[in-house]
Structures are given as C-alpha cells and as structure tokens.
Amino acid sequence: MELIDTHCHLTFDDLVRDIESVIARSRAAGVTSWLTVGTDIQENLKAVELTEKYENMYAAIGMHPHDAKDVTNDTLTELKELARNEKVVAIGETGLDYHYNHSLHEDQRRVFAEHLNIAAELNMPVIIHCRKAFEETMEVLDNHTADVKKIVFHCFSGSAEQAKIVLDKGYYISFTGVVTFKNARIKQQAAKIVPTDRLMLETDCPYMSPEPMRKQKVNEPALMIHIAEYLTDLKGMDLTDFAQAVTATSRTFFQIS
Ligand SMILES: [Zn+2]
Ligand SMILES: [Zn+2]
C-alpha cells in the first residue's frame, strides 16, 4: 500500500527536529509520499529545502490567510519565483479564515485572489484553506478561477450540501483526522458523498491526530493510516482498493509520479 499525505507541515519544529524517525514511521505505515506545506516566507523556503533530501517529498508554497495582512507585492514576487522550483507542485495553502480573523477580511480576500493569479499563470493546482467562510470562498473562486484548473479544499469541514457544491464546480476535497472524531457527524456525512476520484487524504500534522490516536499530541504522517481505515469503513470499501484509488487521485491532481 502506498498512501500520500497531501498536506502536512513537516518543517514545523515538532516534526522537523525528529524528521528521520517521522519519515521512517511513515514509510512503515504505508504512507510513502508527502506534500509539505509552507505557510509563510520562512516555512516556504524550509519546505523546498526539505524536499531536496527526500525523493518522494514535494512542497506546496503560499502565505496562510492568517498572515495576509503582512503580504506585500514583494512577498508575492518571491513566492512566484520559488514556485518555479521543480519540487513545488502546488500553490497554497491560501483562502479565508473567518474563525480566527488574524487578518482583516479584505486583506485575506486580496491575498487569496493573488495566489489564484499566480497559480493560473504557472498552471499549478491550488490548496484552499477555508474556515467559517464557505460562501465567501466560493465567491472569490467564482471571480478568479477561469484559468485555475485544479482546486482542493483541504481539511474539509463542510456539510454534504457544501461538498456537493464543491464537487459540482469540479473541485477536490481532502480530509484530515478531524473526520474520525466522534462529534464529526456532519463531516462524515460529507465524506460519504465524495467519490474516490475526487477525494484525498492528509494529516495536516503536527495538528489534530485522528482517532484512535487522538491523545498523541504531535500528529505525524504515519497516523494517516487511521484516516484511511476510517473512511474505508465509512464507504464500505476494501482498504487496498480505497488506498489505490485516492493515491491515484492525488498523483494525478499534483502531477507527481
Ligand atoms: Zn489549513
Ligand atoms: Zn495546513
């Protein structure tokens, strides 16, 4: 079995300090490729650097909506330059976070739109972070995505109804360990309707370990197997078939081999 963790933050302190063991445990669990996601200038650079050490590791780069207030034209120029690195396979995470509101909504929308422009120009997929801003996110996408071919909503936290809207637009959906939580019935109902050719898996580690490992404080790619098992059961599928299908979806989406 070969799974791809399509959204992790391997450069964050809790993981990077022990990266060799983190990667070894991940491989042993069948999670054999990783997409490490940068969230600011520093982390983007670190992400690209880390991918140079591991063949099956790729990077996504972007400025997290939390930091939208600090994003200047220079930042975006730098981002675009770095995106030309061959290990960078996606732009993001970008989007809107109206839960924490660390940046003004208008700054978030501006920076989100700029990321979409960069992705369109470089013909790259986009990883969307959307929290408590579903309608606003769809509105920005409707106005800017004429040329952006591939979009994934990461850490999907919407309802089945919202999942349907996302799927109808041709976008993809990825689930974290949050879908395994006992109080996550709405997300579980959403997961039921997402076909495997539009579904991807991610840990978003070091955050949010899945059940039954929720007590493990620092999440890591090895634990993604629990998300795969949970969704396999939810869909009444066979684990090998499910893994094969979502891995194929991820490879095609990010164009990785
Ligand atoms: Zn996110
Ligand atoms: Zn993330």
Side-chain angles (χ1 to χ4, degrees), residues 18 29 45 107 167 170 177 183 189 212 229 234 236:
D18 198 21
L45 288 168
D107 282 332
L167 293 171
N183 62 358
Q189 279 164 351
E229 282 169 355
L234 188 78

Side-chain angles (χ1 to χ4, degrees), residues 5-16 19 22-23 25-26 31 33-39 43 57 93 154-155 175-178 201-210 216-224 227:
D5 186 346
T6 66
H7 188 120
C8 47
H9 299 287
L10 299 176
T11 57
F12 288 9
D13 288 345
D14 281 335
L15 293 165
V16 79
I19 192 72
V22 166
I23 293 298
R25 285 193 294 270
S26 180
V31 182
S33 301
W34 312 267
L35 181 48
T36 188
V37 179
T39 48
E43 295 299 331
M57 191 184 291
E93 51 190 298
H154 110 89
C155 193
F175 291 99
T176 60
V178 171
L201 302 177
E202 57 165 309
T203 54
D204 205 11
C205 63
Y207 311 116
M208 300 175 299
S209 296
Q216 178 171 324
K217 237 178 120 195
V218 178
N219 189 12
E220 60 178 68
L223 300 188
M224 206 178 79
I227 308 170

